[in-house]
Amino acid sequence: MSKAKAKGTLAETALVDWLRENGWSHAERRIMYGAKDKGDITLADMDFVIEVKNHKTYAWSTWMHETEAERVNAAATFGVLVVKPRGLGVTRVGDWWACVPMSQMNLLLKRWRFQADD
């Protein structure tokens, strides 16, 4: 396995473990789908696709386009880019960054408000 692949696997596994420890028992790593990739992690019960990045340099625009393509491939409502910042190890997953397009953030907030009103 290449060094880059090993770094990615480490970050993905750490995120799945963290999600499960925080109540998302259906979090799981996905197998690679080639040209029709569906993201690195799925929350099978939540309509989410998560793309994980663990790189020295950041390519936000490229990564967000990749996350969106994977969301579409998976027919999911939400696509989240999670980035492991430099200097934060796998024991600090809760401090990693999560990024979504504002249209999806708006939908998340509307759903949360609707549930909070119940």
Side-chain angles (χ1 to χ4, degrees), residues 102-113:
M102 279 308 300
S103 59
Q104 292 179 37
M105 182 67 179
N106 186 48
L107 184 55
L108 283 168
L109 290 170
K110 285 180 178 180
R111 288 187 181 185
W112 176 77
R113 182 176 56 197

Side-chain angles (χ1 to χ4, degrees), residues 33-96:
Y33 284 89
K36 293 291 184 180
D37 193 5
K38 296 181 179 182
D40 297 321
I41 296 171
T42 181
L43 295 176
D45 60 338
M46 295 292 296
D47 199 21
F48 273 79
V49 167
I50 301 172
E51 179 65 17
V52 182
K53 296 297 182 185
N54 181 8
H55 294 271
K56 283 184 181 178
T57 59
Y58 305 126
W60 291 99
S61 180
T62 300
W63 294 345
M64 287 301 293
H65 287 293
E66 180 182 348
T67 302
E68 176 62 10
E70 292 171 357
R71 182 195 68 78
V72 170
N73 291 343
T77 301
F78 302 101
V80 181
L81 170 63
V82 174
V83 177
K84 179 197 160 300
R86 289 183 304 271
L88 293 183
V90 295
T91 62
R92 296 192 48 199
V93 175
D95 294 322
W96 292 5

